[in-house]
Amino acid sequence: MNIVVCVKQTTDTAATLSVVDGEASYGDAALVLNPWDEYAVEQALLTKEAEGGKVTALCLGPDSAEDALKQALAMGCDEAVLILDAVFESADTLVVSRALAAGIEKLDPPELVFFGKSAVDSDTGVMGPQVARRLGWPSLNLVAAIPELDASAKTITVERLLEEGRQIVSGRLPAVVSVVKEINEPRYPSFMGIRKASKAEIPRWSAADVGLSGQIQPALSWPEILAPEKSEAVCELIEGGDASEIARKLVDRLVEEKVI
Amino acid sequence: MVIVYIDHFDGRAVPASWEALNVGRGLAEELGSEIKAVVLGSDVEGIAQEAKDYGAGEVFLADLKVLEHFRPEVYTEAVTQIVQEQGAEIVLFPTTGRARELAGMLAIDLDTGVTPDVVAVELEGSVVVATRPIYAGKLLTKEVNQARRPQILTTRSRSFQPPEKGTGGEGVITRLELELSEPATEVQGYKESNRGTSLSDAAIIVSGGRGTSNNPSLKPPPEITDEKEQEIWRAHQGFELIGELAKVLGAAVGASRAAVDAGFIPYANQVGQTGKVVSPDLYIACGISGAIQHLAGMRTSKTIVAINKDPDAPIYKLARFGVVGDLFEIVPALTEALREKLDKA
Ligand SMILES: Cc1cc2nc3c(=O)[nH]c(=O)nc-3n(C[C@H](O)[C@H](O)[C@H](O)COP(=O)(O)OP(=O)(O)OC[C@H]3O[C@@H](n4cnc5c(N)ncnc54)[C@H](O)[C@@H]3O)c2cc1C
Ligand SMILES: Nc1ncnc2c1ncn2[C@@H]1O[C@H](COP(=O)(O)O)[C@@H](O)[C@H]1O
């Protein structure tokens, strides 16, 4: 089974962000494989281990994003492709979804394309469904488990994590599956994997390579980036007496401040 | 025209739908335009009626068997048809898993942008200038769609006021017979449907962290010999106390990732950068240190109370009230004190 996993490079979640010259700055924080995408990569690898075939990691990003793809290779992906072009610098989801869908169509036809739930920098959380829509495939979004996958019958059953519980959905392959954290426990890259990845030559595709010449005007722009207001809270410690006294004092303060 | 999509589950609209409707109403008023709502499903006339009561001038109701279960393909097809037919300038959705997906797919159908999880809006002429958190709320960005229409946005739960009920009522309900294709997916059923308040809609959240397992005086039953299982057992006692406190307050229960990863509580309860982002009126963090990824998920809570053994825990930097102590003593005492207070009231 051919499997594709779309991955993004993001800043480490521990990074401190600030606004410098009107742009978001993450200082010297590390760039990492988007944490949600580790689950997508893991699920792609588990699927391959069960069904055979190969896993291709696909990323649209700048030069540095090659490291995220190397991480995916080190975990066990077979191939990787970086879509990189100056025209994508101010891309929005409309443009990125078009480029990723075009990239997927250029690869050996996959049966499954995995996405993470969301990218921890832009926090848009729509890419999987958008690419699915472009490809005309079922969008199986927010997937927490895949109880059934039948490669020969080309069917899949998933559990989608909705706010109210789980929705059990079955669909036909090819399909797009966006995963949430609960689905698995991502593996660490093996020593051999890291060695192999460090030597890998990752092909780069331009916009023209994936057949995009026009249609790359983003719809959105970002006139201003702001730092949130600093929280004014000064912590008032509730102390003195035993637990019940402290608890009563706390309740009184919450009532006084009209919190409850 | 402004169109608002009303998301619902199991016969009930999600509260954030009404917040979105109110945002839409405000925008429509300012633009001198109309506010309309879309209700899709099967047997959902009651929700359409409610949308009217909440102020929609016209409610498009597609009450069809094929729409019985939320399936993104067929739902997108329906919304696309309605939005195109009406020529809406702005389409709003509440930010739920379902509606966010729908908004994204609608944007593809209509070749336009989508701005998810908006916390503030203003108008510049006919252009909506939306503010949304990025980097898990460490920054905010303004986002605009200058040239393409419609402008599609999803509004974050509890970031906007819900409308007063009964402020509308002049509106009409228009039933639509849409031609829709049978999608390639089938819904087999649901499980673990929790009927309580979802974390994103909760006005009060009580959360537990790794500290919930830290009570050495609790002796697990002898049949549990595995150390990890013993820890989980202890944590269940901790979460039991948290659950009781939540019950008195009518609150939802949250957790840190450490608690989820250790198997104390399901992932659906996780608050933070890789869990749910929440913004309740009151957030009570019990045995949670306050790692940056956790804070990212709850920093916009109106009032934060921290209960922690360690006076230097970073959570106190964000907390309005702090109790330094053992959650196994403080949490039940707090439940008791609240019960007393409520009995008197
Ligand atoms: C990519 C990535 C994403 C992440 N996403 C999230 C996320 O979405 N949400 C999240 O929460 N974390 C997230 N984390 C994890 C985060 O970094 C922390 O590890 C986690 O939040 C710690 O959880 P904790 O506070 O429960 O545990 P700890 O940090 O171990 O803190 C436990 C606290 O409990 C206190 N305590 C112990 N015993 C008691 C007692 N009896 N009574 C009272 N207090 C007690 C201790 O003093 C301590 O402060 C993420 C990490 C990474 C790398
Ligand atoms: N530039 C990109 N290249 C490859 N995959 C991406 C890219 N951006 C987003 N994705 C995928 O889409 C998911 C959701 O991202 P987003 O909608 O940007 O929050 C991520 O978890 C990735 O799997």
Side-chain angles (χ1 to χ4, degrees), chain A residues 13 15 36 121-124 130 133 139 159-160 163-164 166-168 170 181 217 221-222 224 226 228 236 238 252, chain B residues 73 97-98 100-101 104 109 132 135-136 138 140 142-144 148 186 188-189 191 193-194 261 267 270 293 320 322:
Chain A
T13 52
W36 292 104
D121 48 6
S122 57
D123 289 334
T124 52
Q130 289 203 318
R133 191 71 182 164
S139 165
E159 295 180 11
R160 301 186 42 172
E163 280 81 359
E164 299 84 359
R166 289 154 180 259
Q167 187 191 43
I168 301 154
S170 54
K181 176 185 160 228
Q217 274 308 313
S221 54
W222 300 272
E224 196 179 353
L226 318 152
E236 175 179 328
I238 312 287
D252 288 344
Chain B
E73 290 76 23
R98 286 179 294 269
R100 187 187 202 120
E101 178 176 18
D109 280 13
R132 63 182 301 267
Y135 296 92
K138 289 175 194 167
L140 298 163
K142 295 206 171 173
E143 189 165 297
V144 295
R148 307 212 192 180
E186 209 172 306
Q188 310 289 351
K191 54 180 196 187
S193 295
N194 69 33
D261 285 358
Y267 167 64
Q270 183 181 316
Q293 297 96 345
R320 172 76 184 83

Short mmCIF file of all heavy atoms in Angstrom, two decimals, chain A residues 13 15 36 121-124 130 133 139 159-160 163-164 166-168 170 181 217 221-222 224 226 228 236 238 252, chain B residues 73 97-98 100-101 104 109 132 135-136 138 140 142-144 148 186 188-189 191 193-194 261 267 270 293 320 322:
data_model
loop_
_atom_site.label_atom_id
_atom_site.label_comp_id
_atom_site.label_asym_id
_atom_site.label_seq_id
_atom_site.Cartn_x
_atom_site.Cartn_y
_atom_site.Cartn_z
N THR A 13 7.45 23.59 20.98
CA THR A 13 6.33 24.14 21.77
C THR A 13 6.82 24.88 23.02
O THR A 13 6.06 25.63 23.63
CB THR A 13 5.37 23.03 22.23
OG1 THR A 13 6.12 22.02 22.88
CG2 THR A 13 4.62 22.45 21.05
N ALA A 15 9.06 27.14 22.94
CA ALA A 15 9.62 28.42 22.51
C ALA A 15 8.84 29.60 23.10
O ALA A 15 7.64 29.53 23.28
CB ALA A 15 9.58 28.50 20.98
N TRP A 36 2.10 17.21 16.40
CA TRP A 36 0.95 16.41 15.95
C TRP A 36 1.35 15.47 14.82
O TRP A 36 0.75 14.40 14.65
CB TRP A 36 -0.17 17.29 15.42
CG TRP A 36 -0.85 18.13 16.43
CD1 TRP A 36 -0.68 19.48 16.63
CD2 TRP A 36 -1.82 17.73 17.40
NE1 TRP A 36 -1.49 19.91 17.64
CE2 TRP A 36 -2.19 18.86 18.13
CE3 TRP A 36 -2.39 16.49 17.71
CZ2 TRP A 36 -3.12 18.83 19.16
CZ3 TRP A 36 -3.32 16.45 18.74
CH2 TRP A 36 -3.68 17.61 19.45
N ASP A 121 2.16 26.11 15.03
CA ASP A 121 2.47 27.53 14.83
C ASP A 121 1.26 28.30 14.32
O ASP A 121 0.77 29.21 14.96
CB ASP A 121 3.69 27.71 13.91
CG ASP A 121 3.60 26.88 12.63
OD1 ASP A 121 2.56 26.23 12.38
OD2 ASP A 121 4.58 26.89 11.87
N SER A 122 0.70 27.87 13.19
CA SER A 122 -0.44 28.60 12.62
C SER A 122 -1.77 28.20 13.24
O SER A 122 -2.74 28.94 13.17
CB SER A 122 -0.49 28.39 11.12
OG SER A 122 -0.58 27.00 10.84
N ASP A 123 -1.81 27.01 13.86
CA ASP A 123 -3.03 26.56 14.55
C ASP A 123 -4.29 26.59 13.68
O ASP A 123 -5.38 26.86 14.17
CB ASP A 123 -3.32 27.44 15.79
CG ASP A 123 -2.33 27.20 16.93
OD1 ASP A 123 -1.77 26.11 17.00
OD2 ASP A 123 -2.14 28.13 17.73
N THR A 124 -4.16 26.32 12.39
CA THR A 124 -5.38 26.41 11.58
C THR A 124 -6.20 25.14 11.63
O THR A 124 -7.43 25.19 11.67
CB THR A 124 -5.09 26.78 10.12
OG1 THR A 124 -4.11 25.88 9.61
CG2 THR A 124 -4.61 28.19 9.98
N GLN A 130 -9.03 20.07 3.86
CA GLN A 130 -8.94 20.84 2.62
C GLN A 130 -8.29 20.04 1.49
O GLN A 130 -8.73 20.07 0.34
CB GLN A 130 -8.15 22.14 2.85
CG GLN A 130 -8.93 23.15 3.69
CD GLN A 130 -8.47 24.57 3.51
OE1 GLN A 130 -7.27 24.84 3.45
NE2 GLN A 130 -9.41 25.50 3.41
N ARG A 133 -10.71 17.49 0.25
CA ARG A 133 -11.71 18.10 -0.63
C ARG A 133 -11.14 18.28 -2.04
O ARG A 133 -11.80 18.04 -3.04
CB ARG A 133 -12.14 19.45 -0.06
CG ARG A 133 -13.36 20.05 -0.73
CD ARG A 133 -14.59 19.28 -0.37
NE ARG A 133 -15.80 19.75 -1.02
CZ ARG A 133 -16.91 19.03 -1.08
NH1 ARG A 133 -16.95 17.82 -0.55
NH2 ARG A 133 -17.99 19.51 -1.67
N SER A 139 -12.80 12.69 3.84
CA SER A 139 -11.99 13.31 4.88
C SER A 139 -12.34 12.65 6.19
O SER A 139 -13.45 12.80 6.70
CB SER A 139 -12.30 14.81 4.95
OG SER A 139 -11.78 15.34 6.15
N GLU A 159 -12.48 5.87 14.26
CA GLU A 159 -13.22 6.55 15.33
C GLU A 159 -12.78 8.01 15.35
O GLU A 159 -11.61 8.30 15.55
CB GLU A 159 -12.91 5.90 16.68
CG GLU A 159 -13.41 4.48 16.76
CD GLU A 159 -13.11 3.82 18.11
OE1 GLU A 159 -12.70 4.53 19.05
OE2 GLU A 159 -13.27 2.59 18.18
N ARG A 160 -13.73 8.88 15.11
CA ARG A 160 -13.44 10.32 15.12
C ARG A 160 -13.74 10.87 16.49
O ARG A 160 -14.80 10.62 17.06
CB ARG A 160 -14.34 11.04 14.11
CG ARG A 160 -14.22 10.59 12.69
CD ARG A 160 -15.06 11.52 11.82
NE ARG A 160 -14.85 12.90 12.28
CZ ARG A 160 -15.31 13.96 11.64
NH1 ARG A 160 -16.01 13.83 10.55
NH2 ARG A 160 -15.08 15.16 12.11
N GLU A 163 -16.32 16.53 20.06
CA GLU A 163 -16.44 17.10 21.40
C GLU A 163 -17.33 16.23 22.29
O GLU A 163 -17.12 16.12 23.48
CB GLU A 163 -17.04 18.51 21.34
CG GLU A 163 -16.05 19.61 20.98
CD GLU A 163 -15.80 19.73 19.49
OE1 GLU A 163 -16.37 18.94 18.71
OE2 GLU A 163 -15.01 20.60 19.10
N GLU A 164 -18.35 15.61 21.68
CA GLU A 164 -19.36 14.90 22.47
C GLU A 164 -19.05 13.42 22.64
O GLU A 164 -19.81 12.70 23.28
CB GLU A 164 -20.72 15.05 21.80
CG GLU A 164 -21.22 16.48 21.67
CD GLU A 164 -20.67 17.17 20.43
OE1 GLU A 164 -19.88 16.55 19.69
OE2 GLU A 164 -21.02 18.34 20.21
N ARG A 166 -17.23 9.76 20.49
CA ARG A 166 -16.59 9.25 19.28
C ARG A 166 -17.63 8.90 18.23
O ARG A 166 -18.62 8.25 18.54
CB ARG A 166 -15.80 8.00 19.59
CG ARG A 166 -14.57 8.29 20.38
CD ARG A 166 -14.21 7.06 21.18
NE ARG A 166 -13.02 7.35 21.94
CZ ARG A 166 -11.80 6.94 21.58
NH1 ARG A 166 -11.63 6.18 20.52
NH2 ARG A 166 -10.76 7.27 22.29
N GLN A 167 -17.35 9.30 17.01
CA GLN A 167 -18.21 8.91 15.90
C GLN A 167 -17.47 7.82 15.13
O GLN A 167 -16.31 7.99 14.76
CB GLN A 167 -18.47 10.13 15.00
CG GLN A 167 -19.49 9.86 13.91
CD GLN A 167 -19.54 10.97 12.87
OE1 GLN A 167 -18.51 11.48 12.44
NE2 GLN A 167 -20.74 11.35 12.46
N ILE A 168 -18.16 6.70 14.90
CA ILE A 168 -17.52 5.60 14.18
C ILE A 168 -17.96 5.68 12.73
O ILE A 168 -19.16 5.64 12.43
CB ILE A 168 -17.89 4.26 14.83
CG1 ILE A 168 -17.40 4.30 16.29
CG2 ILE A 168 -17.25 3.09 14.09
CD1 ILE A 168 -18.15 3.42 17.20
N SER A 170 -17.16 4.54 8.57
CA SER A 170 -16.40 3.75 7.61
C SER A 170 -16.45 4.43 6.26
O SER A 170 -17.37 5.19 5.96
CB SER A 170 -16.95 2.33 7.53
OG SER A 170 -18.32 2.38 7.27
N LYS A 181 -3.76 12.94 18.97
CA LYS A 181 -2.69 12.38 19.77
C LYS A 181 -3.00 10.99 20.33
O LYS A 181 -2.10 10.16 20.44
CB LYS A 181 -2.43 13.36 20.91
CG LYS A 181 -1.42 12.91 21.89
CD LYS A 181 -1.31 13.89 23.03
CE LYS A 181 -0.68 13.19 24.19
NZ LYS A 181 -1.38 13.38 25.44
N GLN A 217 -2.20 32.66 -5.77
CA GLN A 217 -2.46 33.88 -5.00
C GLN A 217 -3.18 33.52 -3.71
O GLN A 217 -4.26 32.94 -3.75
CB GLN A 217 -3.35 34.82 -5.82
CG GLN A 217 -2.61 35.72 -6.78
CD GLN A 217 -1.50 36.48 -6.09
OE1 GLN A 217 -1.70 37.05 -5.02
NE2 GLN A 217 -0.32 36.46 -6.69
N SER A 221 -4.33 37.75 4.17
CA SER A 221 -3.09 38.43 4.55
C SER A 221 -3.16 38.77 6.03
O SER A 221 -4.23 38.72 6.64
CB SER A 221 -2.87 39.66 3.70
OG SER A 221 -4.01 40.50 3.78
N TRP A 222 -2.02 39.09 6.59
CA TRP A 222 -1.89 39.27 8.03
C TRP A 222 -1.34 40.66 8.31
O TRP A 222 -0.11 40.83 8.42
CB TRP A 222 -0.98 38.17 8.60
CG TRP A 222 -1.56 36.81 8.34
CD1 TRP A 222 -2.45 36.15 9.13
CD2 TRP A 222 -1.35 35.97 7.18
NE1 TRP A 222 -2.80 34.95 8.54
CE2 TRP A 222 -2.16 34.81 7.36
CE3 TRP A 222 -0.59 36.10 6.02
CZ2 TRP A 222 -2.20 33.78 6.42
CZ3 TRP A 222 -0.64 35.08 5.08
CH2 TRP A 222 -1.44 33.93 5.29
N GLU A 224 -1.24 42.48 10.88
CA GLU A 224 -0.62 42.83 12.16
C GLU A 224 -0.49 41.60 13.05
O GLU A 224 -1.41 40.79 13.13
CB GLU A 224 -1.51 43.88 12.86
CG GLU A 224 -0.81 44.58 13.99
CD GLU A 224 -1.70 45.64 14.65
OE1 GLU A 224 -2.81 45.90 14.14
OE2 GLU A 224 -1.27 46.16 15.70
N LEU A 226 0.33 40.60 17.03
CA LEU A 226 0.32 41.26 18.33
C LEU A 226 0.72 40.29 19.43
O LEU A 226 0.42 39.10 19.35
CB LEU A 226 -1.11 41.72 18.69
CG LEU A 226 -1.96 42.36 17.61
CD1 LEU A 226 -3.43 42.12 17.90
CD2 LEU A 226 -1.65 43.83 17.58
N PRO A 228 -0.11 39.08 23.14
CA PRO A 228 -1.29 39.19 24.00
C PRO A 228 -1.00 40.07 25.20
O PRO A 228 0.17 40.20 25.60
CB PRO A 228 -1.58 37.76 24.42
CG PRO A 228 -0.31 37.02 24.19
CD PRO A 228 0.46 37.73 23.14
N GLU A 236 -2.80 35.84 44.89
CA GLU A 236 -3.11 36.04 46.30
C GLU A 236 -3.11 34.67 46.96
O GLU A 236 -3.92 33.81 46.63
CB GLU A 236 -4.49 36.70 46.38
CG GLU A 236 -5.03 36.88 47.77
CD GLU A 236 -6.41 37.57 47.72
OE1 GLU A 236 -6.67 38.39 46.80
OE2 GLU A 236 -7.24 37.25 48.57
N ILE A 238 -3.84 32.01 49.69
CA ILE A 238 -4.80 31.81 50.77
C ILE A 238 -4.13 30.91 51.80
O ILE A 238 -3.77 29.77 51.48
CB ILE A 238 -6.08 31.12 50.25
CG1 ILE A 238 -6.60 31.79 48.99
CG2 ILE A 238 -7.13 31.04 51.35
CD1 ILE A 238 -7.24 33.13 49.17
N ASP A 252 -14.91 32.28 50.19
CA ASP A 252 -15.34 33.65 50.48
C ASP A 252 -14.73 34.64 49.48
O ASP A 252 -15.41 35.53 48.98
CB ASP A 252 -14.92 34.05 51.90
CG ASP A 252 -15.78 33.34 52.95
OD1 ASP A 252 -16.84 32.81 52.56
OD2 ASP A 252 -15.37 33.30 54.12
N GLU B 73 -18.50 15.55 3.68
CA GLU B 73 -18.68 15.72 2.23
C GLU B 73 -20.07 16.25 1.91
O GLU B 73 -20.23 17.25 1.21
CB GLU B 73 -18.46 14.40 1.49
CG GLU B 73 -17.00 13.93 1.48
CD GLU B 73 -16.55 13.35 2.81
OE1 GLU B 73 -17.40 12.90 3.60
OE2 GLU B 73 -15.31 13.36 3.07
N GLY B 97 -15.01 20.73 16.23
CA GLY B 97 -14.31 19.84 15.31
C GLY B 97 -15.04 19.74 13.98
O GLY B 97 -14.45 19.84 12.91
N ARG B 98 -16.35 19.55 14.07
CA ARG B 98 -17.16 19.42 12.85
C ARG B 98 -17.14 20.69 12.01
O ARG B 98 -16.88 20.66 10.80
CB ARG B 98 -18.62 19.13 13.22
CG ARG B 98 -18.91 17.75 13.72
CD ARG B 98 -20.39 17.62 14.07
NE ARG B 98 -20.75 18.49 15.20
CZ ARG B 98 -20.71 18.10 16.47
NH1 ARG B 98 -20.36 16.88 16.78
NH2 ARG B 98 -21.02 18.93 17.43
N ARG B 100 -15.28 23.34 12.02
CA ARG B 100 -14.00 23.80 11.51
C ARG B 100 -13.66 23.08 10.21
O ARG B 100 -13.19 23.67 9.24
CB ARG B 100 -12.93 23.52 12.56
CG ARG B 100 -11.58 24.07 12.27
CD ARG B 100 -10.64 23.53 13.34
NE ARG B 100 -9.47 24.35 13.48
CZ ARG B 100 -9.12 24.98 14.61
NH1 ARG B 100 -9.84 24.90 15.68
NH2 ARG B 100 -8.02 25.68 14.65
N GLU B 101 -13.94 21.79 10.20
CA GLU B 101 -13.69 20.98 9.02
C GLU B 101 -14.56 21.45 7.85
O GLU B 101 -14.10 21.61 6.72
CB GLU B 101 -14.01 19.51 9.36
CG GLU B 101 -13.83 18.56 8.22
CD GLU B 101 -14.06 17.11 8.64
OE1 GLU B 101 -14.67 16.87 9.69
OE2 GLU B 101 -13.62 16.22 7.89
N GLY B 104 -13.36 24.72 6.42
CA GLY B 104 -12.18 24.51 5.58
C GLY B 104 -12.57 23.97 4.21
O GLY B 104 -12.04 24.40 3.18
N ASP B 109 -14.30 24.70 -1.91
CA ASP B 109 -15.36 24.74 -2.92
C ASP B 109 -15.51 26.13 -3.52
O ASP B 109 -15.78 26.28 -4.72
CB ASP B 109 -16.71 24.35 -2.29
CG ASP B 109 -16.85 22.84 -2.15
OD1 ASP B 109 -15.84 22.14 -2.29
OD2 ASP B 109 -17.98 22.37 -1.89
N ARG B 132 -6.99 36.29 15.67
CA ARG B 132 -6.96 34.89 16.10
C ARG B 132 -5.63 34.55 16.75
O ARG B 132 -4.58 35.10 16.39
CB ARG B 132 -7.24 33.96 14.91
CG ARG B 132 -6.24 34.01 13.78
CD ARG B 132 -6.65 33.10 12.64
NE ARG B 132 -6.76 31.73 13.09
CZ ARG B 132 -5.77 30.84 13.01
NH1 ARG B 132 -4.60 31.15 12.47
NH2 ARG B 132 -5.94 29.62 13.45
N TYR B 135 0.44 30.16 17.58
CA TYR B 135 1.41 29.60 18.54
C TYR B 135 0.70 29.35 19.88
O TYR B 135 1.19 29.76 20.94
CB TYR B 135 2.61 30.51 18.73
CG TYR B 135 3.44 30.68 17.49
CD1 TYR B 135 3.19 31.73 16.60
CD2 TYR B 135 4.45 29.79 17.18
CE1 TYR B 135 3.96 31.89 15.45
CE2 TYR B 135 5.22 29.94 16.03
CZ TYR B 135 4.96 30.99 15.18
OH TYR B 135 5.71 31.15 14.04
N ALA B 136 -0.46 28.72 19.81
CA ALA B 136 -1.24 28.39 21.00
C ALA B 136 -1.49 29.61 21.88
O ALA B 136 -1.47 29.52 23.10
CB ALA B 136 -0.54 27.28 21.80
N LYS B 138 0.32 32.26 22.22
CA LYS B 138 1.48 33.04 22.65
C LYS B 138 1.51 34.37 21.88
O LYS B 138 2.08 35.35 22.34
CB LYS B 138 2.77 32.27 22.40
CG LYS B 138 2.93 31.09 23.36
CD LYS B 138 4.16 30.27 23.00
CE LYS B 138 4.13 28.93 23.71
NZ LYS B 138 5.12 28.01 23.16
N LEU B 140 -1.00 36.80 18.84
CA LEU B 140 -2.28 36.93 18.12
C LEU B 140 -1.96 37.50 16.75
O LEU B 140 -1.01 38.26 16.59
CB LEU B 140 -3.19 37.92 18.85
CG LEU B 140 -3.59 37.53 20.28
CD1 LEU B 140 -4.12 38.74 21.03
CD2 LEU B 140 -4.66 36.44 20.24
N LYS B 142 -3.80 39.43 13.27
CA LYS B 142 -4.98 39.92 12.56
C LYS B 142 -4.95 39.28 11.19
O LYS B 142 -3.88 39.13 10.60
CB LYS B 142 -4.97 41.43 12.47
CG LYS B 142 -5.08 42.05 13.84
CD LYS B 142 -5.68 43.42 13.83
CE LYS B 142 -5.94 43.83 15.26
NZ LYS B 142 -6.38 45.21 15.38
N GLU B 143 -6.10 38.91 10.71
CA GLU B 143 -6.16 38.21 9.43
C GLU B 143 -7.31 38.78 8.62
O GLU B 143 -8.39 39.00 9.16
CB GLU B 143 -6.37 36.71 9.71
CG GLU B 143 -6.23 35.82 8.50
CD GLU B 143 -6.09 34.34 8.89
OE1 GLU B 143 -5.09 33.98 9.55
OE2 GLU B 143 -6.98 33.55 8.53
N VAL B 144 -7.04 39.07 7.35
CA VAL B 144 -8.10 39.62 6.50
C VAL B 144 -8.13 38.92 5.15
O VAL B 144 -7.12 38.39 4.68
CB VAL B 144 -7.92 41.14 6.23
CG1 VAL B 144 -8.06 41.93 7.51
CG2 VAL B 144 -6.59 41.42 5.55
N ARG B 148 -11.39 38.12 -1.91
CA ARG B 148 -12.28 37.01 -2.28
C ARG B 148 -13.51 36.97 -1.39
O ARG B 148 -13.48 37.38 -0.25
CB ARG B 148 -11.52 35.69 -2.17
CG ARG B 148 -10.24 35.75 -2.94
CD ARG B 148 -9.89 34.42 -3.48
NE ARG B 148 -8.51 34.47 -3.95
CZ ARG B 148 -7.90 33.45 -4.50
NH1 ARG B 148 -8.52 32.29 -4.61
NH2 ARG B 148 -6.67 33.58 -4.92
N GLU B 186 -19.97 6.15 5.75
CA GLU B 186 -21.17 5.74 6.46
C GLU B 186 -20.89 5.82 7.96
O GLU B 186 -19.83 5.40 8.41
CB GLU B 186 -21.48 4.30 6.08
CG GLU B 186 -22.94 3.94 6.13
CD GLU B 186 -23.14 2.55 5.55
OE1 GLU B 186 -22.70 2.31 4.40
OE2 GLU B 186 -23.70 1.72 6.27
N GLN B 188 -21.35 4.49 11.52
CA GLN B 188 -21.76 3.23 12.14
C GLN B 188 -22.39 3.43 13.51
O GLN B 188 -23.11 2.57 13.99
CB GLN B 188 -20.56 2.28 12.29
CG GLN B 188 -19.73 2.10 11.03
CD GLN B 188 -20.47 1.30 9.98
OE1 GLN B 188 -21.52 0.74 10.25
NE2 GLN B 188 -19.94 1.25 8.76
N GLY B 189 -22.03 4.53 14.15
CA GLY B 189 -22.59 4.76 15.48
C GLY B 189 -21.69 5.67 16.28
O GLY B 189 -20.76 6.28 15.75
N LYS B 191 -19.76 6.23 20.33
CA LYS B 191 -19.52 5.69 21.66
C LYS B 191 -18.95 6.75 22.59
O LYS B 191 -18.51 7.80 22.14
CB LYS B 191 -18.67 4.43 21.63
CG LYS B 191 -17.37 4.49 20.94
CD LYS B 191 -16.72 3.10 21.07
CE LYS B 191 -15.25 3.18 20.75
NZ LYS B 191 -14.59 1.91 20.68
N SER B 193 -20.33 8.81 24.30
CA SER B 193 -20.90 10.14 24.19
C SER B 193 -21.08 10.68 25.59
O SER B 193 -21.92 10.18 26.32
CB SER B 193 -22.24 10.09 23.47
OG SER B 193 -22.03 9.66 22.16
N ASN B 194 -20.27 11.63 25.98
CA ASN B 194 -20.50 12.18 27.31
C ASN B 194 -21.51 13.31 27.17
O ASN B 194 -21.43 14.14 26.31
CB ASN B 194 -19.20 12.62 27.99
CG ASN B 194 -18.57 13.82 27.34
OD1 ASN B 194 -19.27 14.67 26.83
ND2 ASN B 194 -17.26 13.90 27.35
N ASP B 261 -0.94 11.10 29.72
CA ASP B 261 0.08 10.16 29.25
C ASP B 261 0.31 9.02 30.24
O ASP B 261 0.66 7.91 29.86
CB ASP B 261 1.40 10.89 28.97
CG ASP B 261 1.34 11.70 27.68
OD1 ASP B 261 0.29 11.64 27.00
OD2 ASP B 261 2.31 12.39 27.36
N TYR B 267 -7.58 11.06 26.92
CA TYR B 267 -7.03 12.19 26.19
C TYR B 267 -8.05 13.30 25.95
O TYR B 267 -7.71 14.48 25.91
CB TYR B 267 -6.47 11.69 24.85
CG TYR B 267 -6.16 12.79 23.90
CD1 TYR B 267 -5.17 13.72 24.21
CD2 TYR B 267 -6.87 12.95 22.72
CE1 TYR B 267 -4.89 14.76 23.35
CE2 TYR B 267 -6.60 13.98 21.85
CZ TYR B 267 -5.61 14.89 22.17
OH TYR B 267 -5.36 15.93 21.33
N GLN B 270 -7.68 16.36 28.01
CA GLN B 270 -6.42 17.11 28.08
C GLN B 270 -6.59 18.57 27.68
O GLN B 270 -7.15 18.90 26.64
CB GLN B 270 -5.36 16.46 27.18
CG GLN B 270 -4.01 17.17 27.29
CD GLN B 270 -2.98 16.54 26.39
OE1 GLN B 270 -2.88 15.32 26.32
NE2 GLN B 270 -2.21 17.36 25.69
N GLN B 293 3.26 24.53 27.82
CA GLN B 293 2.25 23.93 26.91
C GLN B 293 0.90 23.81 27.59
O GLN B 293 -0.13 23.81 26.93
CB GLN B 293 2.71 22.55 26.43
CG GLN B 293 3.97 22.55 25.61
CD GLN B 293 5.20 22.26 26.44
OE1 GLN B 293 5.16 22.32 27.66
NE2 GLN B 293 6.30 21.95 25.79
N ARG B 320 -4.79 33.74 40.02
CA ARG B 320 -5.29 34.87 40.80
C ARG B 320 -5.28 34.48 42.27
O ARG B 320 -4.99 35.28 43.14
CB ARG B 320 -6.71 35.20 40.31
CG ARG B 320 -7.47 36.21 41.13
CD ARG B 320 -6.97 37.61 40.85
NE ARG B 320 -7.63 38.58 41.72
CZ ARG B 320 -7.25 38.85 42.96
NH1 ARG B 320 -6.21 38.23 43.49
NH2 ARG B 320 -7.90 39.74 43.68
N GLY B 322 -4.02 31.29 45.05
CA GLY B 322 -3.21 30.09 45.19
C GLY B 322 -3.36 29.48 46.57
O GLY B 322 -3.52 30.20 47.56
#
